[in-house]
Amino acid sequence: MQPASAKWYDRRDCVFVEFCVEDSKDVQVNFDKSKFEFCCVSGADNIKHQNAVDLFDEIDPKESKHRRTDRSVLCCLQKAEAGKPWPRLTKDKTKCNWLSLDFNNWKDWEEDSDEDMSKYDKFSEMMNSMEGDEMCDLDEHYSADSDDE
């Protein structure tokens, strides 16, 4: 088994982690208060991926969700304490070679305007309404924050 590469970004109520695995199957995501685990099989070669993450801060496991697409698995980790920024995803300051910042979606949300918040609210509503492995094309929602490039 090998870790899946992932990108992450922080928002006011949630932290998003996108595991970049194409054609994933047998996806399992287990959320706990202070950690979460991801595993799947991907590609024609059936490569097994597994990631275990000790989180920077606590999440609400019951409100955290994930969604699988053909290109990735996006996890929405509901923060236990909304409004508190996370400077990193992991508890340890050690750099994980499989993890990077999602610069396309990263922004300083503490200075959000009302317009920026309405975009976030739409995306947040979509994430909150999803269930388990339900398939969905996230392209239009996922690029909502980066349309000003």
Side-chain angles (χ1 to χ4, degrees), residues 6-11 18 95 99-108 142 145-146 148-149:
K7 302 182 288 187
W8 80 282
Y9 62 99
D10 184 33
R11 287 294 190 266
E18 181 179 24
K95 172 127 176 70
L99 183 64
S100 63
L101 279 174
D102 186 346
F103 288 107
N104 290 332
N105 288 296
W106 188 269
K107 67 179 186 172
D108 186 5
Y142 194 63
D145 288 341
S146 60
D148 57 348
E149 292 178 4

Side-chain angles (χ1 to χ4, degrees), residues 3-20:
S5 64
K7 302 182 288 187
W8 80 282
Y9 62 99
D10 184 33
R11 287 294 190 266
R12 182 172 270 103
D13 298 328
C14 302
V15 173
F16 292 92
V17 182
E18 181 179 24
F19 291 96
C20 306

Side-chain angles (χ1 to χ4, degrees), residues 23-35:
D23 300 324
S24 62
K25 51 190 171 220
D26 301 329
V27 174
Q28 295 178 18
V29 182
N30 298 312
F31 299 106
D32 192 27
K33 280 182 12 177
S34 60
K35 65 181 179 178

Side-chain angles (χ1 to χ4, degrees), residues 55-69:
L55 297 168
F56 172 78
D57 207 345
E58 290 189 353
I59 61 170
D60 182 345
K62 292 180 181 163
E63 295 299 318
S64 298
K65 301 181 179 355
H66 73 280
R67 177 159 301 177
R68 181 198 163 279
T69 68

Side-chain angles (χ1 to χ4, degrees), residues 1-148:
M1 281 199 215
Q2 65 186 37
S5 64
K7 302 182 288 187
W8 80 282
Y9 62 99
D10 184 33
R11 287 294 190 266
R12 182 172 270 103
D13 298 328
C14 302
V15 173
F16 292 92
V17 182
E18 181 179 24
F19 291 96
C20 306
V21 286
E22 292 189 19
D23 300 324
S24 62
K25 51 190 171 220
D26 301 329
V27 174
Q28 295 178 18
V29 182
N30 298 312
F31 299 106
D32 192 27
K33 280 182 12 177
S34 60
K35 65 181 179 178
F36 83 104
E37 296 177 5
F38 167 82
C39 65
C40 74
V41 176
S42 71
D45 296 335
N46 289 325
I47 299 169
K48 294 180 182 179
H49 299 281
Q50 183 172 10
N51 299 66
V53 182
D54 288 321
L55 297 168
F56 172 78
D57 207 345
E58 290 189 353
I59 61 170
D60 182 345
K62 292 180 181 163
E63 295 299 318
S64 298
K65 301 181 179 355
H66 73 280
R67 177 159 301 177
R68 181 198 163 279
T69 68
D70 288 339
R71 295 186 333 236
S72 64
V73 177
L74 181 63
C75 298
C76 175
L77 311 176
Q78 186 72 38
K79 292 180 179 178
E81 188 177 338
K84 183 178 177 184
W86 287 23
R88 62 185 178 277
L89 178 66
T90 60
K91 187 175 194 167
D92 292 333
K93 291 183 179 181
T94 308
K95 172 127 176 70
C96 300
N97 61 357
W98 54 267
L99 183 64
S100 63
L101 279 174
D102 186 346
F103 288 107
N104 290 332
N105 288 296
W106 188 269
K107 67 179 186 172
D108 186 5
W109 53 259
E110 294 177 72
E111 299 173 9
D112 279 347
S113 68
D114 290 339
E115 180 182 330
D116 290 337
M117 282 307 294
S118 69
K119 288 180 185 177
Y120 167 74
D121 289 341
K122 288 179 187 174
F123 186 67
S124 182
E125 284 177 24
M126 186 273 306
M127 289 300 291
N128 286 333
S129 68
M130 63 186 206
E131 296 182 17
D133 272 349
E134 182 180 4
M135 295 287 286
C136 173
D137 184 4
L138 293 177
D139 288 339
E140 72 177 274
H141 300 288
Y142 194 63
S143 62
D145 288 341
S146 60
D147 61 357
D148 57 348

